[in-house]
């Protein structure tokens, strides 16, 4: 066994090779590497890592089974808490959650909990292991809106309790942000996402695609006319934000949402798909979160020189360290302490550049981060033919505006309690980005679990 203070390294594609393809960057652990990494777990009696996991996976228990080579049992333990382990093992910010609480991390490196979860989920998929469905149905019908992480988790948990669950998905493919928002090189769609969706369906969950709640059918109609006793809203936050600076209407300006959806769900990265997307040669991405990294690394793979423009310093970048590291390795250029003031267009209204101003960090603002302040006279231009705005998203108001008695806040997010996902409307529960605004996959899953608990309690109390 190697140095117990250090993680077993995980294999990755070479940066110069992967910058030209859409295949997965991280290659994961093999059996030997996984068992060796699992040996590093101290199997703490009061495991802080469980408290750091929004879905409360029994982490020491599953890692103990990996150490013993009992991969099927490890999968069963994870499946009791998570419907999407192969997804979470890839995209969760483990460094600030479970691994951030790991005792090993005090004197050395935390146990690679995420990479071990990914290994177990991939092993289960490759060996045909499925989650165990409920032994019998209880006869109660529940509707779930949205097939992203919150909806899939809520549906999976309710199905395990014996409920008859139908998911309604607006797009033509199930998976929500997992299929339209996260690039193939971070999260393979057919091999990983589709398999996780099939696992949820194997629990008895039905999924109806191309159903836009608020247009095709309303929540009130689901409750009054379609026989559903409760509804969980997990519709996400797909409405992009813009800066409101001059030139944003120019051709060649995208929201990161649109850019990634065209590329991921509509397969614009493939030569045999006729999906229009701007294959810019000089692309500027505005923003510093995970979505900005995804958009930048996608544009790079489509052949562009890519700049990320962010108004704070590297220490304040909200993206995961791993994503920033990978972007730099691949050749993305970071223009930090820089803020756009105008998008420049040519006589045909096509983007030709972006005018920016240098920033410096002043006093902390309400969030505790130092407020960026413009440096007078420091304006400069970056040549560009495509600008991608990655400034966050908010929920589409279609559902809230077509549902009688459903309260929203000033950001158009549905108001719901954290413990059970209860909304102001009886029988309607909500969670994930539709409630919080754009957040992480695992937090949405935690909200899906809370919604399932809330709905189960509601149905039981109604039928007591």
């Amino acid at each position: 066994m190697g140095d117990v203070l250090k993680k077993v390294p995980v294999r990755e594609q070479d940066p110069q090779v992967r910058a030209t393809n859409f295949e997965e960057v991280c290659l994961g652990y093999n059996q030997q590497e996984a068992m060796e990494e699992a040996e590093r777990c101290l199997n703490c009696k009061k495991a802080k890592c469980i408290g750091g996991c929004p879905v409360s996976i029994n982490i020491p228990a599953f890692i103990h089974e990996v150490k013993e080579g009992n991969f099927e049992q490890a999968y069963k333990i994870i499946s009791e808490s998570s419907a999407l382990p192969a997804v979470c093992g890839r995209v969760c910010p483990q460094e600030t959650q479970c691994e951030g609480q790991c005792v090993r991390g005090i004197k050395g490196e935390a146990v690679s909990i995420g990479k071990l979860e990914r290994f177990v989920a991939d092993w289960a998929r490759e060996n045909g292991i499925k989650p165990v469905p409920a032994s019998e149905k209880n006869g109660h019908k529940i509707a779930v809106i949205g097939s992203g992480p919150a909806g899939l988790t809520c549906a999976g948990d309710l199905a395990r309790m014996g409920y008859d669950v139908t998911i309604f998905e607006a797009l033509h493919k199930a998976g929500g942000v997992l299929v339209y928002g996260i690039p193939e090189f971070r999260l393979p769609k057919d091999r990983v996402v589709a398999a996780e969706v099939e696992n949820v369906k194997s629990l008895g969950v039905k999924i109806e695609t191309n159903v836009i709640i608020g247009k095709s059918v309303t929540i009130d109609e689901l409750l009054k006319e379609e026989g559903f006793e409760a509804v969980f809203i997990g519709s996400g936050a797909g409405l992009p934000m813009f800066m409101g600076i001059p030139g944003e209407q120019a051709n060649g300006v995208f929201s990161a949402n649109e850019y990634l959806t065209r590329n991921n769900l509509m397969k614009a990265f493939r030569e045999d798909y006729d999906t229009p997307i701007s294959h810019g040669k000089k692309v500027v991405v505005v923003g510093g979160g995970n979505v900005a990294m995804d958009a930048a690394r996608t544009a790079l793979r489509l052949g562009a020189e890519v700049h990320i423009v962010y108004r704070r310093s590297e220490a304040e970048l909200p993206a995961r360290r791993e994503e920033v590291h990978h972007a730099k390795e691949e050749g993305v250029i970071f223009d930090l302490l820089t803020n756009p003031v105008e998008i420049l267009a040519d006589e045909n209204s096509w983007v030709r550049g972006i005018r920016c101003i240098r920033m410096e960090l002043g006093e902390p603002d309400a969030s505790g981060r130092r407020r960026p302040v413009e440096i007078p006279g420091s304006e400069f231009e970056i040549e560009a033919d495509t600008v991608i705005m990655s400034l966050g998203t908010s929920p589409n108001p279609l559902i809230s505006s077509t549902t009688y008695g459903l309260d929203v806040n000033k950001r158009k997010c549905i108001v719901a309690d954290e413990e059970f996902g209860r909304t102001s409307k009886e029988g309607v529960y909500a969670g994930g980005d539709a409630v919080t605004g754009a957040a992480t996959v695992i937090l949405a899953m935690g909200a899906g679990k809370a919604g399932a608990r809330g709905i189960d309690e509601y149905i039981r109390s109604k039928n007591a």
Side-chain angles (χ1 to χ4, degrees), residues 233 405-407 414-417 421-430:
I233 303 169
L406 188 66
D407 288 351
I414 296 166
V415 177
D417 80 324
R422 277 183 295 239
T423 71
S424 57
K425 187 176 177 71
E426 187 186 337
V428 177
Y429 294 72

Side-chain angles (χ1 to χ4, degrees), residues 142-146 150-152 154-155 158 165-169 231-234:
I142 311 296
V144 171
I145 299 168
L152 289 170
C154 184
L158 288 169
V165 186
T166 302
I167 295 176
F168 296 99
E169 168 56 50
V231 175
F232 176 79
I233 303 169

Side-chain angles (χ1 to χ4, degrees), residues 83-84 87-88 144-157 167-171 173-182 187 193 196-197 200 205 207-209 232-237 431-434 440-449:
L84 306 170
V87 169
C88 291
V144 171
I145 299 168
S147 64
L152 289 170
T153 299
C154 184
D157 278 15
I167 295 176
F168 296 99
E169 168 56 50
L171 295 174
K173 202 163 188 178
V177 71
L178 306 175
V179 291
Y180 73 73
I182 302 174
L187 188 61
V193 179
E196 300 271 67
V197 170
V200 173
V205 174
I207 301 179
E208 292 189 23
T209 55
F232 176 79
I233 303 169
S235 51
D433 291 5
T440 61
V441 167
I442 191 69
L443 288 174
M445 290 175 64
K449 292 186 84 64

Side-chain angles (χ1 to χ4, degrees), residues 10 12-13 15 18 25 290 293 297 308 314 317 319-332 334:
V10 68
E12 294 178 344
Q13 270 200 81
R18 71 181 191 238
V25 168
N290 289 327
M293 300 303 141
R297 295 172 67 199
I308 281 181
E314 183 165 347
L317 279 168
R320 291 181 70 187
R321 298 296 99 193
E322 183 178 62
E323 300 307 315
V324 175
H325 171 67
H326 281 158
K328 284 183 171 178
E329 274 191 330
E330 290 163 9
V332 173
F334 283 72

